[in-house]
Amino acid sequence: MKGIVLAGGNGTRLRPLTLVGSKQLVPVYDKPMVYYPLSMLMLAGIDDILIITRPTEIEQFRALFGDGSRLGLRIAYATQDEPRGIADAFRVGADHIKGEECALILGDNLFHGARLPSLLRRTARELRGCVLFGHQVAEPWRFGVVETDAKGNPLSIEEKPEHPRSNLAIPGLYFFDDNVTDIAGGLRPSARGELEITDVLRAYLAEGRADLVRLGRGVTWLDTGTHESLLDAGRFVRDMQHHQGIRLGCVEEVAMFMGFISPEACFDLGAEMSGSPYGQYVMESARTHRDNPVPTELLEY
């Protein structure tokens, strides 16, 4: 399965922070925002990933991750010269996907949940068309919303409806089979001039091949696209670190946990940042995992 991180957009809601660079490189507590969605794809077992960003910022992402080999990944890059909607990622990334299954995650979404890694890996294994996730929210009119039947199956999907039919929002994480590039290639721009991800999901729904996976109360989902939500996300990451001793979105640690790199390689990556608490954490995590490895099926993150 291939992965795509959509890290484009103009970040207008975060200005003036984004006047000098990508929204997805803005820090969320102790690391760039993009670390969090990238770590989710890694936890799903995906090691071949395309990062889509603006032409003016592609070199910044390359400087951050290179070709991904230090993390045991294959990372490629592509550009979106202007925002054309989430579904445009499948057009831009068609050569990367190359007729394979793929997962798409938005570069400003943060997820956390003890059972989430195993849920993502199971979702990838059992994919039969597309999978959208549902998360209960207080203000569903701000998001794409999925309506379900009595058995929890998806019935309808609406983008930011004035009168939502449910309180189940659709987070920015999706799994698709190898038909997604063909479906996205046939889309027309919506009234707001974008290729809508909801139209892709509706196409699968019309074929009876859209599955909904509900993220329960044990999963936290944060969209970091506003100043307030960015602050909330930073506080959440800090609290998790201070109260439970874990660093969310630590891509070096995740690469080690998933077996993409060895504990020794992870330690070396931490040693390069040993002057920071983050680097010291990576080094200590490598030591601990070397002596007491955590089986992937028991991984909580």
Side-chain angles (χ1 to χ4, degrees), residues 23-79:
K23 170 176 65 174
Q24 290 80 15
L25 294 176
V26 169
V28 177
Y29 188 54
D30 61 349
K31 63 189 74 67
M33 184 187 296
V34 70
Y35 274 43
Y36 300 94
L38 178 63
S39 69
M40 282 296 104
L41 295 183
M42 295 166 68
L43 286 166
I46 299 170
D47 62 5
D48 193 347
I49 296 166
L50 176 71
I51 296 176
I52 299 175
T53 187
R54 296 192 297 180
T56 54
E57 287 140 10
I58 190 170
E59 293 307 320
Q60 294 174 289
F61 284 92
R62 279 203 178 102
L64 188 61
F65 296 122
D67 64 1
S69 58
R70 285 159 56 85
L71 295 170
L73 307 175
R74 293 183 297 277
I75 296 181
Y77 303 88
T79 60

Side-chain angles (χ1 to χ4, degrees), residues 166-189:
S166 82
N167 61 356
L168 275 182
I170 304 172
L173 174 61
Y174 321 87
F175 288 75
F176 295 97
D177 68 7
D178 55 1
N179 292 316
V180 67
T181 52
D182 290 337
I183 291 173
L187 295 182
R188 293 183 177 180

Side-chain angles (χ1 to χ4, degrees), residues 240-272:
M240 290 298 298
Q241 177 183 321
H242 281 239
H243 296 310
Q244 297 191 26
I246 61 173
R247 289 181 182 258
L248 304 184
C250 181
V251 293
E252 298 85 0
E253 182 181 55
V254 172
M256 176 183 63
F257 282 161
M258 295 300 299
F260 299 158
I261 61 174
S262 67
E264 292 74 21
C266 182
F267 182 90
D268 290 343
L269 291 175
E272 294 177 7

Side-chain angles (χ1 to χ4, degrees), residues 6-19:
L6 183 55
N10 295 321
T12 53
R13 293 183 297 167
L14 282 177
R15 289 181 178 176
L17 289 176
T18 51
L19 288 175

Side-chain angles (χ1 to χ4, degrees), residues 181-262:
T181 52
D182 290 337
I183 291 173
L187 295 182
R188 293 183 177 180
S190 66
R192 58 179 188 166
E194 295 190 359
L195 300 176
E196 305 287 358
I197 189 66
T198 47
D199 287 339
V200 176
L201 298 174
R202 286 193 194 103
Y204 279 96
L205 184 61
E207 296 174 357
R209 299 193 305 118
D211 293 322
L212 171 67
V213 175
R214 294 186 64 142
L215 301 176
R217 295 186 179 184
V219 174
T220 297
W221 165 49
L222 296 170
D223 175 347
T224 57
T226 67
H227 295 102
E228 194 67 25
S229 60
L230 183 64
L231 180 60
D232 288 343
R235 286 171 172 165
F236 177 76
V237 172
R238 178 190 180 277
D239 288 347
M240 290 298 298
Q241 177 183 321
H242 281 239
H243 296 310
Q244 297 191 26
I246 61 173
R247 289 181 182 258
L248 304 184
C250 181
V251 293
E252 298 85 0
E253 182 181 55
V254 172
M256 176 183 63
F257 282 161
M258 295 300 299
F260 299 158
I261 61 174
S262 67

